[in-house]
Amino acid sequence: MDDGAVGREQARRLRITMMAAGIDRARLWLYYFGIGGEVSEFEVDAYLHQSLTLPALQRDLLAQAANEILIDLAPPKAPYTADLAEGHTSPAQGGEVHDREDPGTPRC
């Protein structure tokens, strides 16, 4: 696959990821800029709509920004026995679950 095709596919998949996770363009661009991205928010928008080609490094920085945002959005992970036995819990994992539905309750 040539670089142009790779760039278009990266843009398409990044946009799908953003929509699925509820990441808006402004949040992505701000994070991207904070980790060393060099193009403007306007150019990122054009890239996401496949109207502008970006260099591979800038595309990868956008992917990195999205992936790091996804980590921030992810719910706490379920602990392993060793994690709890050794006292390795994060503040998010140490609290009570306040979900509307108990994941252990079967749905009817």
Side-chain angles (χ1 to χ4, degrees):
M1 201 182 297
D2 69 14
D3 191 59
V6 170
R8 287 187 297 278
E9 183 64 12
Q10 273 187 292
R12 186 183 75 79
R13 290 187 187 193
L14 176 57
R15 193 157 183 227
I16 289 168
T17 298
M18 291 172 64
M19 290 188 309
I23 301 170
D24 64 26
R25 184 191 67 240
R27 182 174 185 184
L28 176 71
W29 179 82
L30 186 59
Y31 202 105
Y32 155 81
F33 189 75
I35 62 172
E38 296 179 351
V39 302
S40 71
E41 186 176 354
F42 179 76
E43 290 168 305
V44 168
D45 187 55
Y47 165 71
L48 291 170
H49 290 90
Q50 299 178 20
S51 298
L52 178 69
T53 303
L54 294 179
L57 175 61
Q58 298 308 308
R59 297 190 315 251
D60 287 347
L61 284 171
L62 284 165
Q64 181 68 32
N67 289 332
E68 289 184 16
I69 291 169
L70 287 172
I71 290 169
D72 291 342
L73 294 176
K77 294 180 181 176
Y80 293 101
T81 303
D83 295 334
L84 297 175
E86 295 172 7
H88 298 160
T89 59
S90 69
Q93 291 173 329
E96 293 182 28
V97 177
H98 296 287
D99 294 342
R100 291 189 176 126
E101 291 185 31
D102 179 354
T105 304
R107 294 183 184 197
C108 298

